Amino acid sequence: MKTSQPSINIQRTFGQIRKNWGLYVLLLPAVVLLLCFSYKPMYGVLIAFKDYSPALGISDSPWAGFKYFEKFFNSYQFSRTIKNTLIISIYSMVTFPIPILLALMVNQMRANRFKRVFQTVTYMPHFISTVVMVGLLLILFSPSNGLVGNIYQLFGAEAPNLMGSASLFSSVYVWSDVWQHAGWDSIIYIAALSSVDPSLYEAATVDGASRWQKIRYIDIPMLMPTAVTLLILRVGGLLGVGFEKVYLMQNNLNISSSEVISTYVYKIGLLSNQYSFSAAINLFNTVINFILLILVNQISKKFSDSSLW
Amino acid sequence: MELMKATTSASARTVNNQSSDKLLEILLYVCAAVILIVLVYPLFFIVIASFSDPSAVANGQVWFFPKGFTLDGYKELLRHDNIWIGYRNTILYTVVGTAIGLTVNISAAYALSRKDLVGRKWISLFFIFTMFFSGGLIPTFLTIQEFHLYNTFLVMVLPFSVVVFDIIVARTFFQTSIPGDLWEAAQIDGCGNLRYFVQIVLPLSKAVISVLGLWIAVGYWNSYFNALIYLKNQNLYPLQLILRNILITNQMQSNMGSGEAAAVALRLANMMRYSVIIISTIPIMCIYPFVQKYFNQGVMIGAVKE
């Protein structure tokens, strides 16, 4: 009897699979696409350890060991790109409470009409494309004929060249991001606030609490779990500053503070065709991000019961 | 005595609260008004500047109304075929890409939402792993070349259509909104998985389909990265890449001569930067108010923890 138990289980499993074959058909397209375009490139990561030559292909190219990693660690771009990447992500992390403030504001608005308009307007910039966003910055911040230039002119002052300044690059990047996305990012907090039990507010009113006190002792504690989870996720993406916006904002004047890892990977790889070197830098970045994410997820599990998987 | 004291202090507190609440109310609406102005005015400025004489814009005469009303910026757009080719391409990529993306992601999400899927845990891991680890730019680029997708229509709509985050959102929706009893009942009636999915589940899932459809469509409309990496042929360029050339790398200005003709060309190029922003952003801004409630819904669906 005991020996046949596993085989019955196996039979049952196979029966289940056969019965639900339709579900596997539904999964098939996504699985095939991921195999081809996510997992296959993961195998291609091997070129980071090889002297890749297109003629030989991935598997026949000669091994290079950690040559390209060492090359990156020893180049002056190593500290520069990592420093720039970190500055930008830590700076954006500082603006983290802004969506929370917006959500608290929306939650306090009694006039429904105004509230709706406010939400519509604050979400709207999120849908502007990155290209148009950077185009807007260039137009508005142009010292000669932009809006900012005109405002300076009103006061008879000389406008700074915001887009061509290395020292101001991170500020322009981060605050334009806040302008564009803070409203959208507040949605999740607004949702969390709308799920607060109204009897809590009623009880607070009976106890003579002011609106300030309700915000302080009801709203903010309610938002803490969401805020902590999102903040922890941000820490996990510390070295993951995206390519699209930084690349568009780069120019010769600000390059010393605008070269981040992802833009450097692109330039080395596709503009100067050093495939193995680029793949090595990229892999280094991915691995650091992956380790950070796992670490942060462990910490999050420990302190807030919330984890990604 | 004690009681009276308590009541008086409570009423004093109420009076106090009323004034502090008033203060809060005023502060709230003042802040909100400032935020609205900061968000709306730059966009409003672009709109009026697009109808204004560029020298008036440059001299700081345009603040609240167009100055020296002109449609030259828009007329100039008509002369640039590549903008309209880009427009057409973007519409094609958006429509086809969204159709593929929805099909692939929604069906995978449904399968993963079913508790009786054998191997569910491992298949989920197979999906989720790709969110956190990837081959990176060059290995992906080489793969695309190997499949002969470089510089094709297909590369813009197929290889990167699986979005694991969207799958998770849809899976959560299916788990929480489609009652399990329905499948039991359908099964008794001899209905197979595929027919059940198409005829019963999909009609019940309009909310999540609209949300994901809109997310995916906006993503296609706005992205330029894949085109930058994987396209070489100008005739395949999406609008955003053309916009990049006009707005950021100023390619329109580089091939100009000198003298008066150049001054005219420069003026037109400047005007076109405003009008091109307007016409490329208008489709999304027009649809946006109508679909706003779905976007909110989507974030809420996504926020529901399993």
Side-chain angles (χ1 to χ4, degrees), chain B residues 257-285:
Chain B
S258 57
E260 198 157 317
V264 171
L266 182 69
R267 182 172 173 274
L268 287 173
N270 259 332
M271 297 187 71
M272 200 172 72
R273 301 207 310 171
Y274 295 99
S275 54
V276 82
I277 287 182
I278 307 283
I279 63 129
S280 67
T281 312
I282 261 188
I284 287 189
M285 290 301 160

Side-chain angles (χ1 to χ4, degrees), chain A residues 68-234:
Chain A
Y68 289 107
F69 292 89
E70 279 164 25
K71 187 174 168 188
F72 179 50
F73 298 149
N74 292 329
S75 82
Y76 78 103
Q77 288 283 14
F78 174 67
S79 55
R80 181 156 120 175
T81 51
I82 290 198
K83 192 183 101 199
N84 290 339
T85 310
L86 279 177
I87 287 177
I88 292 174
S89 34
I90 291 171
Y91 197 160
S92 7
M93 224 176 281
V94 175
T95 65
F96 182 77
I98 293 173
I100 301 179
L101 288 176
L102 279 177
L104 290 173
M105 284 177 66
V106 168
N107 199 47
Q108 286 299 321
M109 288 176 189
R110 298 291 145 84
N112 266 326
R113 191 83 177 272
F114 185 79
K115 188 172 167 174
R116 249 203 326 272
V117 170
F118 186 79
Q119 282 180 279
T120 305
V121 171
T122 50
Y123 300 170
M124 196 168 56
H126 177 78
F127 299 100
I128 297 173
S129 73
T130 315
V131 175
V132 168
M133 185 64 212
V134 177
L136 280 178
L137 291 175
L138 284 169
I139 289 176
L140 296 174
F141 290 170
S142 152
S144 54
N145 55 7
L147 184 60
V148 170
N150 290 347
I151 291 173
Y152 272 88
Q153 236 173 49
L154 271 189
F155 299 101
E158 190 74 29
N161 185 2
L162 290 167
M163 298 304 285
S165 151
S167 56
L168 291 172
F169 178 81
S170 52
S171 294
V172 174
Y173 180 90
V174 168
W175 289 105
S176 61
D177 248 17
V178 168
W179 184 86
Q180 196 182 0
H181 301 297
W184 181 256
D185 293 342
S186 71
I187 295 182
I188 190 161
Y189 297 109
I190 294 172
L193 282 176
S194 67
S195 67
V196 175
D197 185 353
S199 65
L200 275 178
Y201 293 117
E202 284 157 24
T205 312
V206 171
D207 289 345
S210 70
R211 279 169 80 175
W212 286 110
Q213 286 167 324
K214 286 178 205 164
I215 295 175
R216 170 74 187 76
Y217 295 105
I218 301 177
D219 291 351
I220 294 180
M222 282 313 259
L223 292 180
M224 275 333 249
T226 316
V228 169
T229 312
L230 291 181
L231 189 63
I232 280 169
L233 271 179
R234 287 279 272 273

